[in-house]
């Protein structure tokens, strides 16, 4: 599994890297702008990400905007919805509006609240068929 962790908070990045590292290759981006660049590069290299864990609130470009760019890139390149990267949005915000925006309107696959619960995250990834 190839994963892109998009998180502006150092501690959250390290936690996600530690949880996901045993299951595959984990790359890091610190904001939405870097995420879109990394995702574009992965498509150009022919080795796209299987999953993206992305914070909703970040500087430069937030997770909502980055997700819209990523879904547009996939559409432009003819990637079928079933083959799109699985995108799990993470947020410390207890704000249903942001979650609904990301999940239902933005094309996120799922949503995980912070602090990240390792067992909940791994169960979710298993249910998506990315790990056994």
């Amino acid at each position: 599994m190839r994963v892109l962790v998009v998180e502006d908070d150092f501690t959250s990045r390290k936690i996600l890297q530690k949880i996901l590292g045993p299951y595959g290759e984990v790359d890091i981006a610190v904001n939405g702008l870097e995420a879109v660049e990394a995702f574009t590069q992965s498509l150009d290299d022919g080795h796209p990400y299987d999953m993206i864990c992305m914070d909703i609130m970040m500087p430069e470009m937030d997770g909502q905007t980055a997700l819209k760019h990523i879904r547009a890139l996939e559409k432009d390149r003819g990637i079928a919805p079933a083959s799109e990267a699985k995108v799990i949005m993470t947020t410390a915000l207890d704000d249903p509006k942001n979650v609904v925006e990301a999940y239902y309107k933005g094309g996120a696959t799922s949503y995980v609240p912070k602090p990240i619960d390792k067992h909940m995250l791994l169960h979710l990834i298993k249910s998506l068929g990315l790990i056994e």
Side-chain angles (χ1 to χ4, degrees), residues 77-119:
R77 301 214 184 183
I79 296 169
S83 300
E84 290 176 342
K86 305 292 186 238
V87 179
I88 299 171
M89 301 302 281
T90 62
T91 186
L93 296 174
D94 189 16
D95 179 358
K97 180 180 172 281
N98 272 317
V99 173
V100 166
E101 181 75 23
Y103 192 57
Y104 295 105
K105 296 180 184 172
T109 309
S110 196
Y111 153 79
V112 175
K114 289 182 187 174
I116 301 292
D117 179 298
K118 177 182 177 178
H119 299 291

Short mmCIF file of all heavy atoms in Angstrom, two decimals, residues 77-119:
data_model
loop_
_atom_site.label_atom_id
_atom_site.label_comp_id
_atom_site.label_asym_id
_atom_site.label_seq_id
_atom_site.Cartn_x
_atom_site.Cartn_y
_atom_site.Cartn_z
N ARG A 77 -7.64 12.53 -15.72
CA ARG A 77 -6.78 11.44 -16.22
C ARG A 77 -7.56 10.16 -16.49
O ARG A 77 -6.97 9.12 -16.77
CB ARG A 77 -5.66 11.18 -15.23
CG ARG A 77 -4.81 12.45 -15.04
CD ARG A 77 -3.41 12.17 -14.81
NE ARG A 77 -2.67 13.39 -14.55
CZ ARG A 77 -1.38 13.41 -14.36
NH1 ARG A 77 -0.69 12.29 -14.40
NH2 ARG A 77 -0.76 14.54 -14.13
N GLY A 78 -8.88 10.25 -16.39
CA GLY A 78 -9.72 9.10 -16.74
C GLY A 78 -9.70 7.98 -15.72
O GLY A 78 -9.99 6.82 -16.05
N ILE A 79 -9.39 8.31 -14.48
CA ILE A 79 -9.37 7.29 -13.43
C ILE A 79 -10.82 7.06 -12.97
O ILE A 79 -11.52 7.99 -12.56
CB ILE A 79 -8.48 7.72 -12.24
CG1 ILE A 79 -7.03 7.84 -12.72
CG2 ILE A 79 -8.61 6.75 -11.07
CD1 ILE A 79 -6.09 8.50 -11.74
N ALA A 80 -11.26 5.81 -13.07
CA ALA A 80 -12.63 5.46 -12.70
C ALA A 80 -12.84 5.65 -11.20
O ALA A 80 -11.90 5.43 -10.42
CB ALA A 80 -12.92 4.02 -13.09
N PRO A 81 -14.05 6.04 -10.78
CA PRO A 81 -14.31 6.23 -9.35
C PRO A 81 -13.88 5.04 -8.49
O PRO A 81 -13.36 5.23 -7.39
CB PRO A 81 -15.83 6.45 -9.31
CG PRO A 81 -16.14 7.08 -10.62
CD PRO A 81 -15.20 6.41 -11.60
N ALA A 82 -14.06 3.83 -8.97
CA ALA A 82 -13.68 2.64 -8.19
C ALA A 82 -12.17 2.53 -8.00
O ALA A 82 -11.70 1.86 -7.08
CB ALA A 82 -14.21 1.38 -8.85
N SER A 83 -11.42 3.20 -8.87
CA SER A 83 -9.95 3.14 -8.80
C SER A 83 -9.32 4.37 -8.16
O SER A 83 -8.10 4.47 -8.07
CB SER A 83 -9.38 2.96 -10.21
OG SER A 83 -9.86 1.77 -10.79
N GLU A 84 -10.15 5.31 -7.72
CA GLU A 84 -9.63 6.52 -7.09
C GLU A 84 -8.91 6.18 -5.78
O GLU A 84 -9.20 5.16 -5.15
CB GLU A 84 -10.78 7.48 -6.74
CG GLU A 84 -11.43 8.13 -7.92
CD GLU A 84 -12.62 9.00 -7.51
OE1 GLU A 84 -13.15 8.84 -6.39
OE2 GLU A 84 -13.02 9.82 -8.33
N ALA A 85 -7.99 7.07 -5.39
CA ALA A 85 -7.33 6.93 -4.10
C ALA A 85 -8.40 7.01 -3.00
O ALA A 85 -9.33 7.81 -3.10
CB ALA A 85 -6.29 8.03 -3.90
N LYS A 86 -8.24 6.19 -1.97
CA LYS A 86 -9.12 6.27 -0.81
C LYS A 86 -8.63 7.45 0.02
O LYS A 86 -7.45 7.52 0.35
CB LYS A 86 -9.06 4.99 0.03
CG LYS A 86 -9.35 3.72 -0.76
CD LYS A 86 -10.78 3.64 -1.21
CE LYS A 86 -11.08 2.30 -1.84
NZ LYS A 86 -11.56 2.39 -3.20
N VAL A 87 -9.51 8.39 0.33
CA VAL A 87 -9.12 9.58 1.08
C VAL A 87 -9.84 9.59 2.42
O VAL A 87 -11.07 9.63 2.47
CB VAL A 87 -9.41 10.87 0.30
CG1 VAL A 87 -9.01 12.09 1.12
CG2 VAL A 87 -8.69 10.87 -1.04
N ILE A 88 -9.04 9.55 3.49
CA ILE A 88 -9.58 9.61 4.84
C ILE A 88 -9.24 10.99 5.41
O ILE A 88 -8.07 11.33 5.55
CB ILE A 88 -8.99 8.50 5.73
CG1 ILE A 88 -9.35 7.13 5.14
CG2 ILE A 88 -9.48 8.64 7.16
CD1 ILE A 88 -8.65 5.96 5.81
N MET A 89 -10.26 11.76 5.67
CA MET A 89 -10.07 13.10 6.23
C MET A 89 -9.95 12.98 7.75
O MET A 89 -10.69 12.20 8.37
CB MET A 89 -11.24 14.01 5.87
CG MET A 89 -11.45 14.19 4.37
SD MET A 89 -10.03 14.85 3.46
CE MET A 89 -10.17 16.58 3.84
N THR A 90 -9.03 13.75 8.33
CA THR A 90 -8.87 13.78 9.78
C THR A 90 -9.06 15.21 10.26
O THR A 90 -8.68 16.15 9.56
CB THR A 90 -7.46 13.29 10.20
OG1 THR A 90 -6.48 14.17 9.65
CG2 THR A 90 -7.21 11.86 9.73
N THR A 91 -9.66 15.36 11.43
CA THR A 91 -9.82 16.70 11.97
C THR A 91 -10.05 16.67 13.47
O THR A 91 -10.64 15.73 13.99
CB THR A 91 -10.97 17.48 11.30
OG1 THR A 91 -10.97 18.82 11.79
CG2 THR A 91 -12.31 16.84 11.57
N ALA A 92 -9.55 17.68 14.13
CA ALA A 92 -9.79 17.85 15.56
C ALA A 92 -11.07 18.65 15.75
O ALA A 92 -11.61 18.74 16.84
CB ALA A 92 -8.62 18.57 16.21
N LEU A 93 -11.56 19.23 14.67
CA LEU A 93 -12.76 20.05 14.75
C LEU A 93 -13.98 19.18 14.99
O LEU A 93 -14.18 18.17 14.32
CB LEU A 93 -12.98 20.80 13.42
CG LEU A 93 -11.94 21.81 13.02
CD1 LEU A 93 -12.25 22.34 11.63
CD2 LEU A 93 -11.90 22.95 14.03
N ASP A 94 -14.79 19.61 15.91
CA ASP A 94 -16.06 18.92 16.12
C ASP A 94 -17.10 19.75 15.38
O ASP A 94 -17.99 20.34 15.97
CB ASP A 94 -16.37 18.83 17.62
CG ASP A 94 -17.57 17.94 17.88
OD1 ASP A 94 -17.95 17.18 16.98
OD2 ASP A 94 -18.13 18.02 18.99
N ASP A 95 -16.91 19.84 14.07
CA ASP A 95 -17.73 20.71 13.24
C ASP A 95 -18.39 19.89 12.14
O ASP A 95 -17.77 19.60 11.12
CB ASP A 95 -16.84 21.81 12.66
CG ASP A 95 -17.61 22.76 11.76
OD1 ASP A 95 -18.82 22.56 11.54
OD2 ASP A 95 -16.99 23.70 11.26
N PRO A 96 -19.65 19.50 12.33
CA PRO A 96 -20.34 18.68 11.34
C PRO A 96 -20.33 19.28 9.93
O PRO A 96 -20.25 18.55 8.95
CB PRO A 96 -21.76 18.57 11.87
CG PRO A 96 -21.67 18.90 13.32
CD PRO A 96 -20.49 19.81 13.48
N LYS A 97 -20.37 20.61 9.83
CA LYS A 97 -20.40 21.26 8.51
C LYS A 97 -19.14 20.92 7.71
O LYS A 97 -19.22 20.57 6.53
CB LYS A 97 -20.53 22.78 8.67
CG LYS A 97 -20.57 23.52 7.35
CD LYS A 97 -20.70 25.03 7.58
CE LYS A 97 -20.55 25.79 6.30
NZ LYS A 97 -19.17 25.95 5.88
N ASN A 98 -17.95 21.01 8.34
CA ASN A 98 -16.71 20.68 7.64
C ASN A 98 -16.64 19.21 7.26
O ASN A 98 -16.18 18.86 6.20
CB ASN A 98 -15.49 21.03 8.52
CG ASN A 98 -15.05 22.45 8.31
OD1 ASN A 98 -15.00 22.95 7.21
ND2 ASN A 98 -14.77 23.13 9.41
N VAL A 99 -17.11 18.36 8.15
CA VAL A 99 -17.10 16.92 7.87
C VAL A 99 -18.03 16.61 6.71
O VAL A 99 -17.66 15.88 5.78
CB VAL A 99 -17.50 16.11 9.13
CG1 VAL A 99 -17.64 14.64 8.80
CG2 VAL A 99 -16.46 16.32 10.22
N VAL A 100 -19.23 17.17 6.73
CA VAL A 100 -20.20 16.95 5.65
C VAL A 100 -19.63 17.47 4.32
O VAL A 100 -19.72 16.80 3.29
CB VAL A 100 -21.56 17.63 5.96
CG1 VAL A 100 -22.44 17.70 4.73
CG2 VAL A 100 -22.26 16.87 7.08
N GLU A 101 -19.00 18.63 4.37
CA GLU A 101 -18.41 19.23 3.16
C GLU A 101 -17.36 18.29 2.56
O GLU A 101 -17.34 18.04 1.36
CB GLU A 101 -17.78 20.58 3.51
CG GLU A 101 -17.16 21.31 2.34
CD GLU A 101 -18.16 21.94 1.39
OE1 GLU A 101 -19.30 22.21 1.79
OE2 GLU A 101 -17.78 22.17 0.23
N ALA A 102 -16.47 17.77 3.40
CA ALA A 102 -15.39 16.90 2.92
C ALA A 102 -15.92 15.54 2.49
O ALA A 102 -15.55 15.00 1.45
CB ALA A 102 -14.35 16.71 4.03
N TYR A 103 -16.79 14.99 3.30
CA TYR A 103 -17.23 13.62 3.11
C TYR A 103 -18.24 13.49 1.97
O TYR A 103 -18.08 12.66 1.09
CB TYR A 103 -17.83 13.12 4.42
CG TYR A 103 -18.07 11.65 4.49
CD1 TYR A 103 -17.04 10.73 4.29
CD2 TYR A 103 -19.34 11.15 4.77
CE1 TYR A 103 -17.27 9.38 4.37
CE2 TYR A 103 -19.56 9.79 4.86
CZ TYR A 103 -18.53 8.92 4.65
OH TYR A 103 -18.75 7.57 4.74
N TYR A 104 -19.26 14.31 1.98
CA TYR A 104 -20.32 14.15 1.00
C TYR A 104 -20.12 14.96 -0.27
O TYR A 104 -20.44 14.50 -1.35
CB TYR A 104 -21.67 14.48 1.63
CG TYR A 104 -22.03 13.52 2.73
CD1 TYR A 104 -21.94 13.91 4.06
CD2 TYR A 104 -22.41 12.22 2.44
CE1 TYR A 104 -22.24 13.02 5.08
CE2 TYR A 104 -22.71 11.32 3.46
CZ TYR A 104 -22.62 11.73 4.77
OH TYR A 104 -22.92 10.86 5.77
N LYS A 105 -19.57 16.16 -0.13
CA LYS A 105 -19.42 17.02 -1.30
C LYS A 105 -18.03 16.94 -1.91
O LYS A 105 -17.86 17.17 -3.09
CB LYS A 105 -19.74 18.47 -0.93
CG LYS A 105 -21.19 18.67 -0.49
CD LYS A 105 -21.44 20.11 -0.14
CE LYS A 105 -22.85 20.30 0.39
NZ LYS A 105 -23.04 21.66 0.90
N GLY A 106 -17.02 16.66 -1.09
CA GLY A 106 -15.65 16.71 -1.56
C GLY A 106 -15.12 15.40 -2.12
O GLY A 106 -14.06 15.36 -2.71
N GLY A 107 -15.81 14.31 -1.89
CA GLY A 107 -15.36 13.04 -2.41
C GLY A 107 -14.45 12.26 -1.47
O GLY A 107 -13.75 11.35 -1.90
N ALA A 108 -14.47 12.61 -0.19
CA ALA A 108 -13.68 11.84 0.77
C ALA A 108 -14.30 10.45 0.91
O ALA A 108 -15.51 10.28 0.78
CB ALA A 108 -13.65 12.54 2.13
N THR A 109 -13.46 9.46 1.17
CA THR A 109 -13.93 8.10 1.36
C THR A 109 -14.47 7.91 2.77
O THR A 109 -15.46 7.23 2.97
CB THR A 109 -12.76 7.11 1.13
OG1 THR A 109 -12.14 7.41 -0.13
CG2 THR A 109 -13.24 5.67 1.12
N SER A 110 -13.79 8.53 3.73
CA SER A 110 -14.21 8.40 5.12
C SER A 110 -13.62 9.55 5.93
O SER A 110 -12.93 10.40 5.41
CB SER A 110 -13.76 7.05 5.68
OG SER A 110 -14.44 6.77 6.87
N TYR A 111 -13.89 9.49 7.23
CA TYR A 111 -13.50 10.57 8.13
C TYR A 111 -13.11 9.95 9.48
O TYR A 111 -13.77 9.01 9.94
CB TYR A 111 -14.69 11.51 8.27
CG TYR A 111 -14.76 12.27 9.57
CD1 TYR A 111 -13.97 13.39 9.76
CD2 TYR A 111 -15.61 11.87 10.58
CE1 TYR A 111 -14.02 14.09 10.96
CE2 TYR A 111 -15.67 12.57 11.78
CZ TYR A 111 -14.88 13.68 11.95
OH TYR A 111 -14.93 14.36 13.13
N VAL A 112 -12.02 10.45 10.07
CA VAL A 112 -11.57 9.96 11.37
C VAL A 112 -11.30 11.18 12.27
O VAL A 112 -10.57 12.09 11.87
CB VAL A 112 -10.27 9.11 11.24
CG1 VAL A 112 -9.75 8.73 12.61
CG2 VAL A 112 -10.51 7.88 10.40
N PRO A 113 -11.89 11.19 13.48
CA PRO A 113 -11.64 12.32 14.39
C PRO A 113 -10.27 12.20 15.06
O PRO A 113 -9.74 11.11 15.20
CB PRO A 113 -12.76 12.19 15.42
CG PRO A 113 -13.10 10.72 15.42
CD PRO A 113 -12.85 10.23 14.03
N LYS A 114 -9.73 13.36 15.45
CA LYS A 114 -8.50 13.38 16.23
C LYS A 114 -8.87 13.50 17.69
O LYS A 114 -9.89 14.13 17.99
CB LYS A 114 -7.63 14.56 15.83
CG LYS A 114 -7.00 14.45 14.48
CD LYS A 114 -6.16 15.68 14.26
CE LYS A 114 -5.61 15.77 12.87
NZ LYS A 114 -4.92 17.04 12.65
N PRO A 115 -8.09 13.00 18.61
CA PRO A 115 -6.85 12.26 18.35
C PRO A 115 -7.14 10.93 17.65
O PRO A 115 -8.16 10.29 17.90
CB PRO A 115 -6.26 12.04 19.74
CG PRO A 115 -7.42 12.14 20.68
CD PRO A 115 -8.41 13.08 20.04
N ILE A 116 -6.22 10.55 16.77
CA ILE A 116 -6.38 9.33 15.97
C ILE A 116 -6.35 8.10 16.87
O ILE A 116 -5.43 7.94 17.66
CB ILE A 116 -5.25 9.21 14.91
CG1 ILE A 116 -5.24 10.43 13.98
CG2 ILE A 116 -5.38 7.92 14.12
CD1 ILE A 116 -6.41 10.57 13.05
N ASP A 117 -7.36 7.27 16.72
CA ASP A 117 -7.41 5.99 17.43
C ASP A 117 -6.85 4.92 16.49
O ASP A 117 -7.43 4.66 15.43
CB ASP A 117 -8.86 5.67 17.81
CG ASP A 117 -9.01 4.35 18.53
OD1 ASP A 117 -8.67 3.30 17.92
OD2 ASP A 117 -9.47 4.34 19.67
N LYS A 118 -5.72 4.34 16.86
CA LYS A 118 -5.02 3.38 16.00
C LYS A 118 -5.93 2.24 15.55
O LYS A 118 -5.99 1.90 14.38
CB LYS A 118 -3.79 2.81 16.74
CG LYS A 118 -3.06 1.76 15.95
CD LYS A 118 -1.88 1.19 16.73
CE LYS A 118 -1.20 0.09 15.94
NZ LYS A 118 -0.03 -0.44 16.63
N HIS A 119 -6.66 1.64 16.50
CA HIS A 119 -7.49 0.49 16.17
C HIS A 119 -8.65 0.87 15.25
O HIS A 119 -8.98 0.14 14.33
CB HIS A 119 -7.99 -0.18 17.45
CG HIS A 119 -6.87 -0.68 18.31
ND1 HIS A 119 -6.07 -1.74 17.94
CD2 HIS A 119 -6.38 -0.23 19.49
CE1 HIS A 119 -5.15 -1.93 18.86
NE2 HIS A 119 -5.30 -1.03 19.81
#
